[in-house]
Amino acid sequence: IDAARGEVGQKIRVPAPTGPITIGAGAVWVAVETGVARIDPTQNRVITVVPLPSPHTLAVGPAGLWVGTDAGISLVDPETNVPSRVLDVTDVRGFASTRFGLWAATEQELLLLRAGDSPSD
């Protein structure tokens, strides 16, 4: 969107977008019904869709693309576009990625996750 002119600059067809969008690791990532669509910003087109169940929260950090889904938290490797692990935390309300790791806000607590960590009770 061209904010100065208030016009749409480019439209990109995305299969059934459902909400969150984030930018990082050389791509634009958007949640879609069947996973997360990876958009190449230089070509303005969807390169792939990473299959994940009902994604609702996204954040890019040094470890990759973190995705909150109804099944837990997945970490997608941006080199392979493959979810590399799933953490059993299903009530994520929001993410913030920092150099320390991923902060995940749930209904009852704030978690700090690192790529090699497992969530604790």
Side-chain angles (χ1 to χ4, degrees):
I1 297 175
D2 183 331
R5 296 187 307 196
E7 297 176 358
V8 174
Q10 178 76 37
K11 290 184 182 181
I12 301 168
R13 290 192 166 259
V14 178
T18 60
I21 184 171
T22 192
I23 299 170
V28 177
W29 306 88
V30 62
V32 298
E33 282 183 357
T34 59
V36 180
R38 181 183 185 139
I39 299 168
D40 181 327
T42 63
Q43 298 178 31
N44 292 325
R45 68 181 186 91
V46 175
I47 299 301
T48 192
V49 175
V50 178
L52 289 164
S54 304
H56 53 73
T57 311
L58 305 175
V60 175
L65 172 69
W66 295 92
V67 183
T69 74
D70 290 345
I73 299 174
S74 294
L75 177 59
V76 177
D77 181 337
E79 296 294 320
T80 63
N81 298 316
V82 173
S84 59
R85 69 181 288 148
V86 176
L87 304 173
D88 188 23
V89 178
T90 58
D91 61 344
V92 174
R93 298 293 182 244
F95 284 149
S97 181
T98 70
R99 63 186 171 100
F100 302 108
L102 177 79
W103 292 94
T106 71
E107 286 183 355
Q108 300 184 4
E109 58 192 345
L110 185 62
L111 306 171
L112 175 58
L113 306 171
R114 293 181 182 89
D117 288 351
S118 296
S120 59
D121 294 352

